[in-house]
Each structure stands twice: as C-alpha cells, then as structure tokens.
Amino acid sequence: MSRPEVRIKDLHKSFGDNHVLRGIDLEIAQGEVVCVIGPSGSGKSTLLRCVNLLEEPGAGKVFVGGCEVTDPDVDIDAVRRRIGMVFQQFNLFPHLSVTGNLTLPQRRVLRRGKAESARIAAEHLARVGLSEKADAFPAALSGGQQQRVAIARALAMGPEVMLFDEPTSALDPELVGEVLAVMRMLADEGMTMMVVTHEMTFAREVADRVVFMDGGVIVEEGRPEQVVTAPRHERTRHFLSRLLDPAMAEVEPERPQGAGGDGPSPKRPPDPGLPDR
Ligand SMILES: Nc1ncnc2c1ncn2[C@@H]1O[C@H](COP(=O)(O)OP(=O)(O)O)[C@@H](O)[C@H]1O
Ligand SMILES: [Mg+2]
C-alpha cells in the first residue's frame, strides 16, 4: 500500500450527549477510493465533516497528506485547500454564473488572479463536460449538471483528496449516471476519494474498499465484493438486504439511531425533509 493520504485515529464526536462517532480508525492510501455505507444517522456525514474540520472532533486525530488537521494550531484554510468536498445539495452560489462559482473560491482562498482562475475554471468545466454552460446560472441547469459544476469547483482548487457526501441522492434517477461517470473518471486518474454513497454498482466497480458504519463505529470493511456479497456481520447483512431489495424491509420495532429516518426507502430516497424535485 502506498503512503496513507488520510489517517483517522480513534476519532470521537458528540453533539451534546449524542455520542455520534465512537472511535473511528481508518487509513486511506494515496489514490485509493473508499466507499462508506451505513444506515441514516450512523455518523457518515459527521465523519466526512470531521476530516475537513467542518465539525471539530471531540477526540482523536486526523491527518491529511502528513499534516495533522486536528492540531489546534493548524491553518484551517491550508487544510481545506487540500480537501475538496461535494455535498448532496450541490451548494452552488445561485447569484453567480457557473464560471463565477468556479473562480470565486480560487480568487478568495488561493488568491489567483482573474485570468488564471478563469483559465483553470474552463479547464475543469471541460473535464466534467460542461464547457458550454460556462455562462449559465445554476437555476438553469439540471441537478446532474449542477453537481458536476460542484465537482469542477472543488477540483479547480487542486485538492489532494476529494470527499463526497451522498453526491447523487438528491438527483432524479436518470441524472445519477452522469455524476457517477465524472467520479469514475477521477478515480481512474488516481484521485484519493472518500465517498458516502449507496450506489452499490459504483461501490463494487470503482471502490477499492467498502466501509460499513453503524452506530458511530466501523462494523466491517473490505474489498467491495467481499463486503457486499459475503458480509461477515449480521448488521451489514441486514443493511445490505434492505438496500438491495427495499421491498424486503420489515417494520422494525427498534428505534433508529439519530433523529432522522432510517436506511433506504423503496423510492430513491432524498433525506427526510428535503423538498421533492
Ligand atoms: N450539527 C449537528 N448538531 C446536532 N446533531 C447532529 C449534527 N449533525 C449530525 N447530528 C446527529 O449526529 C448523528 C449522525 O448524523 P450524520 O453524521 O448526519 O449521519 P449519516 O450521515 O450517517 O446519516 C445523528 O443522530 C444526527 O442527528
Ligand atoms: Mg449523511
């Protein structure tokens, strides 16, 4: 295994008395693609957000590219420059054109000039196949196109690691493929990626490793085909059986973790509370 690009050591995070991450240990090698799966509320988003300090971990350490992110004296901007993040909800600036969305963070955070940031924006828009949308505003784009813009925006910052938090779960089913295709291209190019997703075909074909989380711990991890077709733990089997065949879901008497709903529902499930699109 080449050197670890991301190292997470005994990471804990609580919100009040909700102990959400309960000792996460995970290493991601340079160029490795790790898919994180697990029921709603198991702490997947919190884990990603702790890696780029959108949340402050309660205990434990995180290293990215040899630099300790959790060092109290760390330069947070320097850390975030190394880590690109893509969210379920795209988070584009609605009042800026596509090019404006890509140039603003380059200019603000990296202090690139106007011409240079525009040139780099154009380069990355071409990579995600959206050169012709450079002057469009986000509202004029499909969800799939918006998410590709969000990916291009992250790439324009030159990150060493990309974090994806359910990047396709807010999309209509017919738009999922174009986003996964861009992610697959990045993986093929050797980007180090940590991807929370329930797109199991993507996980099986693109991931080097699948990590199953439940209740704030890593229950098991392994090669995708091993975890998906021969899970070692009952909790993983149970989760996957509902994921792969939602019609088999039973009404469960036990309380789901966390506040939200639980697991996948038969429809492509936007998280509870998201508007229908
Ligand atoms: N900012 C927050 N404030 C309070 N509780 C939070 C916050 N973010 C997440 N949580 C709680 O942490 C738990 C894990 O949430 P999350 O990491 O979003 O899980 P997942 O992404 O696996 O669905 C849930 O119980 C959720 O309610
Ligand atoms: Mg989440």
Side-chain angles (χ1 to χ4, degrees), residues 181-199:
V182 167
M183 293 168 62
R184 187 186 292 258
M185 170 192 82
L186 286 182
D188 290 344
E189 291 173 3
M191 179 63 80
T192 307
M193 294 164 58
M194 191 169 173
V195 185
V196 175
T197 187
H198 293 123
E199 294 292 339

Side-chain angles (χ1 to χ4, degrees), residues 238 242 249-256 262:
H238 182 69
R242 286 186 305 163
E250 295 154 28
V251 177
E252 285 178 77
E254 73 203 24
R255 270 156 50 89
D262 192 9

Side-chain angles (χ1 to χ4, degrees), residues 6-8 23 34 40 74 89-90 103-104 108 112 127 139 158-159 162 164 188 207 219 227-228 231-232 268 271 274:
V6 178
R7 236 170 0 122
I8 300 168
V34 171
S40 177
V74 78
Q89 289 301 334
F90 331 136
T103 53
L104 182 75
R108 287 243 177 105
R112 282 180 186 150
R127 282 175 87 190
M162 286 284 287
F164 294 87
D188 290 344
V219 175
V227 174
V228 176
R232 280 187 284 260
R268 175 171 296 284
D271 278 353
L274 292 179

